[in-house]
Amino acid sequence: QVQLVQSGAEVKKPGASVKVSCKASGYTFTSYGISWVRQAPGQGLEWMGWISAYNGNTNYAQKLQGRVTMTTDTSTSTAYMELRSLRSDDTAVYYCARDPPDYYERVLYFDYWGQGTLVTVSS
Amino acid sequence: DIQMTQSPSSLSASVGDRVTITCRASQGIRNDLGWYQQKPGKAPKRLIYAASSLQSGVPSRFSGSGSGTEFTLTISSLQPEDFATYYCLQHNSYPRTFGQGTKLEIK
């Protein structure tokens, strides 16, 4: 069965960086991509960006350009999201979700999600 | 960027009621849309994919319709476990975009 398992909660100081992992199992990792989504306390869902697990191509949300880097390790079927220069408004739960490249069957988009990783930014 | 305008932002309803939530896309997205239910402290759970296809295991009281720019999620007879927040999500293009969410509360 498909699973996305994320790393544990993090507490960081303003200006620091955080790297969240998302380990995939139950499917061919390199045939899909991963999107990262975050949710600030009491707020809605915000898409952060996407990475192809096939070739590492990325597409980032404009507001995060320059601060976010998404990578994959195909040997361990793991995706990573690193966010730098953290601010208090980066405090959120961060989710990974399976998001295939274009032209896949619609049933396969955002069908599986990780359990979420709470990142708290506080001095 | 494609904007997804979801309404209402909140809704108060009773068990057994029929409710409808709407998402409008700022440009056509074919049927590249999913509906998600989120409960506090949990990851979103997909209810509907391809705008109108019911996710396996989801009760048939949930249904979706629409194509292009107008989409609706209908719950035909609310059950106590349906009180949650609902989001639409378009995956037609990048950036992916969510509706603002609809919080469904018990009247």
Side-chain angles (χ1 to χ4, degrees):
Chain A
Q1 70 286 17
V2 173
Q3 280 192 301
L4 298 174
V5 179
Q6 298 183 221
S7 50
E10 304 261 13
V11 179
K12 297 292 183 181
K13 294 193 181 304
S17 299
V18 69
K19 192 170 187 177
V20 179
S21 68
C22 170
K23 183 171 176 58
S25 61
Y27 71 98
T28 303
F29 182 65
T30 51
S31 294
Y32 291 79
I34 293 286
S35 268
W36 289 89
V37 173
R38 70 179 180 177
Q39 186 171 39
Q43 301 301 308
L45 299 166
E46 177 188 15
W47 182 81
M48 300 177 65
W50 174 86
I51 183 166
S52 164
Y54 172 70
N55 58 16
N57 286 351
T58 55
N59 195 312
Y60 298 141
Q62 190 168 6
K63 70 176 284 190
L64 296 174
Q65 287 272 5
R67 288 208 299 139
V68 68
T69 301
M70 296 177 187
T71 57
T72 60
D73 180 346
T74 57
S75 69
T76 60
S77 299
T78 303
Y80 297 92
M81 185 284 300
E82 181 180 32
L83 189 60
R84 299 177 294 278
S85 302
L86 289 168
R87 310 186 290 245
S88 58
D89 62 357
D90 292 318
T91 294
V93 176
Y94 289 75
Y95 296 101
C96 59
R98 192 170 75 163
D99 181 8
D102 289 343
Y103 309 119
Y104 275 49
E105 293 182 29
R106 291 178 175 87
V107 66
L108 297 171
Y109 288 83
F110 290 87
D111 52 352
Y112 291 95
W113 293 63
Q115 81 276 19
T117 297
L118 175 62
V119 175
T120 303
V121 182
S122 173
S123 54
Chain B
D1 296 2
I2 296 174
Q3 311 302 319
M4 301 301 297
T5 303
Q6 185 173 341
S7 61
S9 56
S10 64
L11 182 54
S12 183
S14 301
V15 172
D17 283 354
R18 177 184 181 92
V19 300
T20 298
I21 299 168
T22 298
C23 265
R24 289 189 175 86
S26 60
Q27 61 191 76
I29 58 169
R30 302 180 301 180
N31 63 340
D32 297 332
L33 180 124
W35 288 97
Y36 293 80
Q37 177 192 67
Q38 189 180 32
K39 295 183 177 179
K42 299 294 187 182
K45 171 189 172 183
R46 192 173 69 177
L47 305 174
I48 300 288
Y49 65 92
S52 60
S53 296
L54 188 66
Q55 176 73 30
S56 175
V58 172
S60 59
R61 63 181 179 272
F62 292 93
S63 64
S65 65
S67 185
T69 60
E70 295 268 341
F71 302 89
T72 59
L73 172 71
T74 299
I75 310 172
S76 60
S77 178
L78 276 172
Q79 298 303 300
E81 60 268 29
D82 300 337
F83 292 94
T85 302
Y86 294 83
Y87 295 92
C88 61
L89 164 64
Q90 70 80 19
H91 58 83
N92 177 265
S93 65
Y94 298 103
R96 308 313 202 192
T97 43
F98 291 89
Q100 299 92 326
T102 296
K103 187 171 184 179
L104 183 50
E105 297 174 309
I106 301 174
K107 185 183 287 185

